[in-house]
Amino acid sequence: MSIVAMLAVSRLWVQLIQVEHLLPHSFAENWSWVTNNHLLHRQTMEKTLQLAKAIRLTIDWEKTWIWGTTKIHTQTLQNVRTDLLNDNVQLQTLQHARELGHIIHYQLLPYRGTQKERHTQALTRLRKLAKHNWPIDDLAHIAQTACLTKALYGIETYACGEKHFQQLRTTLAAVLVGPYANTNPYIAVMCASSYVKDPELIAIQQAIKAARDFHYATNREHEESFFYHCATSTAQPAQVVGPAGALKFYLAKLAWQIDKQGYIHVDAYITLHILDASLEIILQATELAWLQNMTTVAYTKKGQQNGPPINRFLTLRLL
């Protein structure tokens, strides 16, 4: 009943503050509003405080923050705080915030703190898992569900550094085949079990899936804008702060490009539309491209260079 009550209160709050040029967002006890008109902040804050007082709600100001792209909004809200709130209440102005594990950027200043935390925790879990002498498929299944999902959560919104993939790949290979110095981690993580793949390939596939999910829930205008930014983005990896730039970054790992209409150029003869083509076909194409890519980045020993790509399906059947 408490959840139902909070949903009803949040709906009441939306109806109370809603005016032209102000967009409220609410879910249960999480309330926020967005506006381009800084003059609307005062009346919105007044109505919010009136509702909280009327139904005896306590607002946690330590979990309340300001964000904005222009200084006038920050200045106005600080003036409102001075006039309406106690002197001991401070409103933080943030450039980024964490919401359900994701980092929301309010300015174009990337922050990777939570990614580093999850990466470290995933490596710790993998090292603990490596101590167990269980069947490879069991180890791979646990590594995928309990470790890689944690490390790669939200990776479709930013460009993850190569160092992180290398650490995950090497540690995962040690889990699957043991901590041997002559192990090729690229081959081990792709060919030891069908339950797991290379973390870098998983990131590429996650970016594609996230783009498809977004476009199925949006309109034509946003779709065209997304493809335009994805095709024309020139941001360096450290400056990527959204899914469009991240998708371009990850496709480039396969030497793929995407154009303004949403067509992925696999090679000179094959194109796949990221929305219209079957997801299964696109994912199969990414796996084949990754295995082909391994012939240049993973075949490091003498005699391996320029060898044929591995057939993962037949290799797993043989094992």
Side-chain angles (χ1 to χ4, degrees):
M1 289 301 294
S2 60
I3 296 176
V4 175
M6 284 308 304
L7 290 174
V9 170
S10 66
R11 182 59 183 169
L12 174 61
W13 175 77
V14 168
Q15 291 296 114
L16 186 66
I17 71 166
Q18 198 163 31
V19 293
E20 190 176 3
H21 303 306
L22 185 138
L23 181 63
H25 298 278
S26 70
F27 180 76
E29 74 277 12
N30 299 302
W31 299 350
S32 64
W33 68 81
V34 180
T35 181
N36 291 323
N37 184 353
H38 69 96
L39 299 177
L40 294 178
H41 290 305
R42 178 175 293 273
Q43 68 182 51
T44 306
M45 180 68 83
E46 289 175 344
K47 292 179 180 179
T48 301
L49 294 173
Q50 289 171 4
L51 176 61
K53 182 178 180 180
I55 60 177
R56 298 181 182 179
L57 277 181
T58 300
I59 298 176
D60 189 344
W61 296 109
E62 293 184 359
K63 296 181 180 179
T64 304
W65 62 83
I66 302 169
W67 64 271
T69 54
T70 57
K71 292 182 178 180
I72 186 64
H73 288 277
T74 301
Q75 294 170 352
T76 301
L77 282 164
Q78 292 295 355
N79 291 335
V80 170
R81 178 198 67 82
T82 303
D83 296 340
L84 301 180
L85 303 177
N86 296 329
D87 294 338
N88 59 347
V89 173
Q90 299 296 324
L91 293 181
Q92 309 172 72
T93 301
L94 301 184
Q95 295 179 332
H96 54 77
R98 184 172 181 172
E99 182 68 23
L100 298 177
H102 280 280
I103 293 296
I104 303 172
H105 291 95
Y106 301 126
Q107 300 285 349
L108 296 180
L109 297 173
Y111 175 72
R112 299 287 179 262
T114 54
Q115 184 236 340
K116 294 177 181 177
E117 292 174 11
R118 288 194 299 270
H119 178 78
T120 301
Q121 293 167 358
L123 289 177
T124 301
R125 292 182 180 184
L126 285 171
R127 293 186 183 109
K128 289 181 179 179
L129 188 60
K131 298 178 181 178
H132 297 281
N133 188 24
W134 295 335
I136 288 181
D137 280 347
D138 292 346
L139 292 170
H141 196 188
I142 296 172
Q144 171 62 37
T145 55
C147 305
L148 295 187
T149 52
K150 185 175 189 65
L152 303 179
Y153 178 76
I155 203 168
E156 66 275 5
T157 61
Y158 61 87
C160 183
E162 187 64 29
K163 178 184 72 174
H164 293 86
F165 289 125
Q166 289 282 14
Q167 291 175 342
L168 286 172
R169 184 182 298 116
T170 303
T171 311
L172 177 59
V175 171
L176 298 175
V177 299
Y180 302 109
N182 60 347
T183 299
N184 188 318
Y186 282 92
I187 298 175
V189 299
M190 285 298 293
C191 299
S193 173
S194 61
Y195 286 97
V196 75
K197 298 177 184 177
D198 192 289
E200 205 161 355
L201 175 59
I202 295 174
I204 296 169
Q205 294 180 339
Q206 269 187 221
I208 293 172
K209 292 177 183 178
R212 287 170 64 98
D213 291 343
F214 168 73
H215 288 295
Y216 290 144
T218 190
N219 56 41
R220 182 71 178 178
E221 181 183 356
H222 290 162
E223 180 181 307
E224 292 175 350
S225 176
F226 181 92
F227 289 143
Y228 176 83
H229 287 292
C230 190
T232 60
S233 173
T234 59
Q236 295 297 314
Q239 276 72 52
V240 172
V241 292
L247 178 61
K248 181 175 183 177
F249 171 79
Y250 290 120
L251 292 179
K253 290 180 176 290
L254 303 176
W256 290 5
Q257 293 181 336
I258 186 169
D259 62 24
K260 298 176 184 177
Q261 286 71 46
Y263 284 95
I264 299 174
H265 296 264
V266 177
D267 56 30
Y269 306 101
I270 300 176
T271 59
L272 298 170
H273 196 277
I274 193 171
L275 301 183
D276 298 336
S278 166
L279 178 60
E280 182 180 0
I281 292 176
I282 295 176
L283 297 183
Q284 287 177 351
T286 61
E287 187 171 304
L288 292 174
W290 182 256
L291 293 171
Q292 179 64 48
N293 184 54
M294 282 173 52
T295 63
T296 58
V297 300
Y299 294 1
T300 56
K301 294 184 178 180
K302 186 177 180 180
Q304 286 185 338
Q305 290 86 351
N306 300 317
I310 295 172
N311 188 315
R312 184 171 185 258
F313 175 74
L314 294 180
T315 303
L316 291 172
R317 285 193 64 182
L318 178 64
L319 295 176

